[in-house]
Every structure is written in structure tokens, then in C-alpha cells.
Amino acid sequence: MTEKFVEILTIPFIRTTKDVFVNRIIYPRLMNEQKTFVVTANPEIVEYANKHEEYKQIILSADYITPDGIGIIYASKWLKQPLEERITGYDMMHDLFELANLHELKVYMLGAEEAVIEAAVEKVKQQYPHSRIVGHHHGYINIEDQELAKSIADLKPDIILTALGFPKQEQWVNMHKHLFEKGLFMGVGGSFDVLAEKVQRAPVIWQKVNLEWLYRLIQQPTRWQRMMVLPKFMLNVLKEKG
């Protein structure tokens, strides 16, 4: 199928729904063992990429960039190229676990604190018993450590989830994916914290009214400085709109 993209502040987002993306694009690539790099980008990542050229080139090297953040959806509407819906890293992570469960795919989980990653792995084993978690490692690593990356590649995982936070999770993929014969690589930020129930995800009603960001801010007040990127992003979009 031919994919359509919408460019927002120089970053091309795929224009589709989550179900179509997972089932008609990602699933066939997994089955064909095509190496695939997915970036789930929110306004913060877009702003950071446009200020850091090396990171921007890593983002642009991805096979697909999905709109993770309601700000990206609003921006697309303002630019009169509306994206269909948010495709969040957390939701897609669960879809990937489901595919792994159905097809007994091998998964490697990298990131978060030791206790968090251990709890997250147990949750996956409970919820997706037929998925094959071939390994996991906490996120307190030197991302240039090629020995660790090679040990992961030797396990031949089908899905590699990196929860190192941006920009490290994408930098890690960029540095090491050449070591792998196959695999879908995706950064998932703080998703392991939610999976392990260290952090609660916003209730569905908050998600439906696009206030998930506010719920997270209430839970983690230290995020307020990161939230200050949002008005800058929106202002830059309005400037682009002219």
C-alpha cells in the first residue's frame, strides 16, 4: 500500500489510523522480517529535533513517524492537512505485544529502573503468555555500549522496545540497529512505568477529551518545564501556517 504523510515543522507524520498502521503496515513487515524503525513523536520531540540537527536526521531516518500527542493532531488541522488520529507509543506497544502473543514473536525490553523493568516483564508475561520475552535490561546504560547491543542482537528478537526517553532511545536504535538481522525498533518513553503500574495512565474519559497531558502533569508536577514546549510548538505551527 502507498502511505500518505503530513509534514509538520519539517517532520513527516504518517497519515493513517492505529489499526491500519499496525495491521496493514507493521504486521506484514514483522512477518517478512523487514527491519523497521518507528518513532512516536510528540510536540516536544519535534521541537527538540528542529534545534538539534543530528537528532533530527535520526528521526528522519525512521521508516515511520507517528503522531503521539494531541498537539500534533491540532497542528495538522491548523495546517489543513488533518491527521486521522493519535498513534501513541503506549497503545502501539500493547498492539505489538498482542501480535507477539498471537504469533509467538520474540520481544526484548530495554529501559526504565531495574524494579520497573522486572515488574513490566511480569505484566507482559501475564497478559500475553504466548509472547516470548527473550531478554530485558534496565535503562541505566551507556548507549554507546556495543557489547550490550550485540548481546541483544544475538537473541534475534522480532520486536525491540527502548524505554530510555528521547533522545537516547532513538540514538540507541540509530547506533546499533545495523547489528540486527531483523526487528521492529520503537522507543516507548515512560511506557514501562505505566505497564509496571509505577505511574497511572489517564482514565479513558481524560483521554477522550484530550486531557491526558493534564492528568500526567497532575501526577508528575515536575513535568511542567517540559510542558512549556507546547506553546512554543503551537506558535511555530501558526507561523508556518502564515
Side-chain angles (χ1 to χ4, degrees), residues 104-129:
E104 297 187 354
L105 300 178
K106 295 190 287 187
V107 180
Y108 194 96
M109 298 168 64
L110 172 65
E113 299 171 3
E114 185 75 59
V116 169
I117 186 66
E118 294 284 351
V121 167
E122 286 308 308
K123 285 287 184 182
V124 175
K125 288 179 178 178
Q126 291 168 20
Q127 295 178 32
Y128 307 97

Short mmCIF file of all heavy atoms in Angstrom, two decimals, residues 104-129:
data_model
loop_
_atom_site.label_atom_id
_atom_site.label_comp_id
_atom_site.label_asym_id
_atom_site.label_seq_id
_atom_site.Cartn_x
_atom_site.Cartn_y
_atom_site.Cartn_z
N GLU A 104 3.75 -15.78 18.55
CA GLU A 104 4.90 -16.24 19.34
C GLU A 104 6.20 -15.55 18.90
O GLU A 104 7.24 -16.19 18.70
CB GLU A 104 5.04 -17.76 19.28
CG GLU A 104 3.84 -18.47 19.88
CD GLU A 104 4.01 -19.98 19.98
OE1 GLU A 104 5.03 -20.50 19.47
OE2 GLU A 104 3.13 -20.64 20.57
N LEU A 105 6.11 -14.24 18.75
CA LEU A 105 7.28 -13.45 18.36
C LEU A 105 8.17 -13.19 19.57
O LEU A 105 7.72 -13.18 20.71
CB LEU A 105 6.83 -12.12 17.75
CG LEU A 105 5.95 -12.21 16.50
CD1 LEU A 105 5.54 -10.82 16.03
CD2 LEU A 105 6.66 -12.96 15.38
N LYS A 106 9.43 -12.95 19.27
CA LYS A 106 10.41 -12.69 20.33
C LYS A 106 10.53 -11.19 20.60
O LYS A 106 10.67 -10.39 19.65
CB LYS A 106 11.77 -13.27 19.93
CG LYS A 106 11.76 -14.79 19.81
CD LYS A 106 13.15 -15.37 19.66
CE LYS A 106 13.73 -15.10 18.30
NZ LYS A 106 15.03 -15.80 18.09
N VAL A 107 10.48 -10.82 21.88
CA VAL A 107 10.50 -9.41 22.28
C VAL A 107 11.66 -9.16 23.24
O VAL A 107 11.92 -9.97 24.14
CB VAL A 107 9.18 -9.02 22.99
CG1 VAL A 107 9.19 -7.56 23.40
CG2 VAL A 107 7.97 -9.32 22.09
N TYR A 108 12.33 -8.03 23.04
CA TYR A 108 13.34 -7.58 24.00
C TYR A 108 12.92 -6.21 24.53
O TYR A 108 12.53 -5.33 23.76
CB TYR A 108 14.73 -7.47 23.37
CG TYR A 108 15.82 -7.33 24.41
CD1 TYR A 108 16.53 -8.44 24.86
CD2 TYR A 108 16.11 -6.09 25.00
CE1 TYR A 108 17.50 -8.33 25.84
CE2 TYR A 108 17.08 -5.97 25.98
CZ TYR A 108 17.77 -7.10 26.40
OH TYR A 108 18.71 -6.99 27.40
N MET A 109 13.01 -6.03 25.86
CA MET A 109 12.60 -4.79 26.51
C MET A 109 13.80 -4.14 27.18
O MET A 109 14.43 -4.73 28.06
CB MET A 109 11.49 -5.08 27.53
CG MET A 109 10.23 -5.66 26.89
SD MET A 109 9.03 -6.33 28.09
CE MET A 109 8.57 -4.84 28.98
N LEU A 110 14.11 -2.92 26.76
CA LEU A 110 15.28 -2.19 27.26
C LEU A 110 14.83 -0.85 27.84
O LEU A 110 14.22 -0.04 27.13
CB LEU A 110 16.28 -1.97 26.13
CG LEU A 110 17.48 -1.07 26.42
CD1 LEU A 110 18.39 -1.70 27.47
CD2 LEU A 110 18.27 -0.80 25.12
N GLY A 111 15.12 -0.63 29.14
CA GLY A 111 14.83 0.69 29.71
C GLY A 111 14.21 0.64 31.09
O GLY A 111 13.92 -0.42 31.62
N ALA A 112 14.05 1.83 31.67
CA ALA A 112 13.45 2.04 32.99
C ALA A 112 14.37 1.56 34.11
O ALA A 112 15.47 1.05 33.88
CB ALA A 112 12.08 1.37 33.08
N GLU A 113 13.90 1.72 35.35
CA GLU A 113 14.66 1.26 36.51
C GLU A 113 14.60 -0.27 36.60
O GLU A 113 13.69 -0.89 36.05
CB GLU A 113 14.06 1.86 37.80
CG GLU A 113 14.09 3.38 37.84
CD GLU A 113 13.30 3.91 39.03
OE1 GLU A 113 12.79 3.10 39.84
OE2 GLU A 113 13.18 5.15 39.13
N GLU A 114 15.55 -0.84 37.33
CA GLU A 114 15.60 -2.30 37.45
C GLU A 114 14.28 -2.88 37.95
O GLU A 114 13.74 -3.83 37.37
CB GLU A 114 16.73 -2.68 38.42
CG GLU A 114 16.96 -4.18 38.53
CD GLU A 114 17.67 -4.78 37.34
OE1 GLU A 114 18.79 -4.35 37.02
OE2 GLU A 114 17.09 -5.68 36.72
N ALA A 115 13.74 -2.32 39.04
CA ALA A 115 12.49 -2.84 39.61
C ALA A 115 11.33 -2.66 38.65
O ALA A 115 10.44 -3.52 38.56
CB ALA A 115 12.18 -2.15 40.94
N VAL A 116 11.35 -1.55 37.91
CA VAL A 116 10.26 -1.26 36.96
C VAL A 116 10.28 -2.24 35.79
O VAL A 116 9.24 -2.79 35.41
CB VAL A 116 10.34 0.20 36.46
CG1 VAL A 116 9.39 0.42 35.28
CG2 VAL A 116 10.01 1.17 37.58
N ILE A 117 11.45 -2.46 35.20
CA ILE A 117 11.52 -3.35 34.05
C ILE A 117 11.16 -4.79 34.46
O ILE A 117 10.49 -5.51 33.72
CB ILE A 117 12.90 -3.29 33.36
CG1 ILE A 117 12.92 -4.12 32.07
CG2 ILE A 117 14.01 -3.75 34.28
CD1 ILE A 117 12.03 -3.62 30.98
N GLU A 118 11.58 -5.19 35.67
CA GLU A 118 11.22 -6.53 36.16
C GLU A 118 9.70 -6.66 36.27
O GLU A 118 9.11 -7.67 35.85
CB GLU A 118 11.87 -6.79 37.52
CG GLU A 118 13.39 -6.86 37.50
CD GLU A 118 13.92 -8.16 36.92
OE1 GLU A 118 13.11 -9.08 36.71
OE2 GLU A 118 15.14 -8.25 36.69
N ALA A 119 9.05 -5.63 36.86
CA ALA A 119 7.59 -5.67 37.03
C ALA A 119 6.89 -5.61 35.68
O ALA A 119 5.87 -6.29 35.46
CB ALA A 119 7.14 -4.50 37.91
N ALA A 120 7.42 -4.81 34.75
CA ALA A 120 6.82 -4.69 33.42
C ALA A 120 6.87 -6.02 32.67
O ALA A 120 5.90 -6.43 32.03
CB ALA A 120 7.52 -3.60 32.62
N VAL A 121 8.00 -6.70 32.76
CA VAL A 121 8.15 -8.01 32.10
C VAL A 121 7.14 -9.00 32.66
O VAL A 121 6.51 -9.76 31.91
CB VAL A 121 9.60 -8.54 32.27
CG1 VAL A 121 9.67 -10.01 31.88
CG2 VAL A 121 10.56 -7.71 31.43
N GLU A 122 6.95 -9.00 33.98
CA GLU A 122 5.98 -9.91 34.59
C GLU A 122 4.57 -9.62 34.10
O GLU A 122 3.78 -10.54 33.87
CB GLU A 122 6.06 -9.83 36.12
CG GLU A 122 7.27 -10.50 36.72
CD GLU A 122 7.44 -11.94 36.24
OE1 GLU A 122 6.47 -12.72 36.34
OE2 GLU A 122 8.53 -12.29 35.75
N LYS A 123 4.24 -8.33 33.96
CA LYS A 123 2.91 -7.95 33.45
C LYS A 123 2.70 -8.47 32.03
O LYS A 123 1.63 -8.97 31.69
CB LYS A 123 2.75 -6.42 33.48
CG LYS A 123 2.53 -5.84 34.86
CD LYS A 123 1.12 -6.15 35.36
CE LYS A 123 0.86 -5.50 36.69
NZ LYS A 123 -0.48 -5.83 37.22
N VAL A 124 3.73 -8.33 31.22
CA VAL A 124 3.63 -8.82 29.83
C VAL A 124 3.42 -10.32 29.81
O VAL A 124 2.58 -10.84 29.07
CB VAL A 124 4.88 -8.43 29.02
CG1 VAL A 124 4.81 -9.03 27.62
CG2 VAL A 124 5.02 -6.92 28.92
N LYS A 125 4.16 -11.03 30.64
CA LYS A 125 4.03 -12.49 30.67
C LYS A 125 2.64 -12.93 31.12
O LYS A 125 2.10 -13.93 30.65
CB LYS A 125 5.09 -13.08 31.61
CG LYS A 125 6.50 -13.01 31.05
CD LYS A 125 7.52 -13.59 32.02
CE LYS A 125 8.93 -13.56 31.43
NZ LYS A 125 9.94 -14.08 32.38
N GLN A 126 2.04 -12.15 32.03
CA GLN A 126 0.68 -12.45 32.49
C GLN A 126 -0.36 -12.15 31.42
O GLN A 126 -1.26 -12.94 31.17
CB GLN A 126 0.37 -11.64 33.75
CG GLN A 126 1.14 -12.04 34.99
CD GLN A 126 1.00 -11.03 36.12
OE1 GLN A 126 0.07 -10.23 36.13
NE2 GLN A 126 1.93 -11.06 37.06
N GLN A 127 -0.24 -10.98 30.79
CA GLN A 127 -1.25 -10.53 29.83
C GLN A 127 -1.08 -11.16 28.45
O GLN A 127 -2.06 -11.32 27.72
CB GLN A 127 -1.20 -9.00 29.70
CG GLN A 127 -1.59 -8.26 30.98
CD GLN A 127 -1.47 -6.75 30.82
OE1 GLN A 127 -1.67 -6.21 29.74
NE2 GLN A 127 -1.15 -6.07 31.91
N TYR A 128 0.16 -11.47 28.10
CA TYR A 128 0.45 -12.00 26.76
C TYR A 128 1.32 -13.26 26.90
O TYR A 128 2.50 -13.27 26.55
CB TYR A 128 1.15 -10.94 25.91
CG TYR A 128 0.41 -9.62 25.85
CD1 TYR A 128 0.75 -8.57 26.71
CD2 TYR A 128 -0.65 -9.44 24.97
CE1 TYR A 128 0.07 -7.36 26.66
CE2 TYR A 128 -1.34 -8.23 24.92
CZ TYR A 128 -0.97 -7.21 25.78
OH TYR A 128 -1.66 -6.00 25.74
N PRO A 129 0.74 -14.34 27.42
CA PRO A 129 1.52 -15.52 27.80
C PRO A 129 2.24 -16.23 26.66
O PRO A 129 3.20 -16.98 26.91
CB PRO A 129 0.47 -16.44 28.45
CG PRO A 129 -0.84 -15.98 27.90
CD PRO A 129 -0.70 -14.51 27.71
#
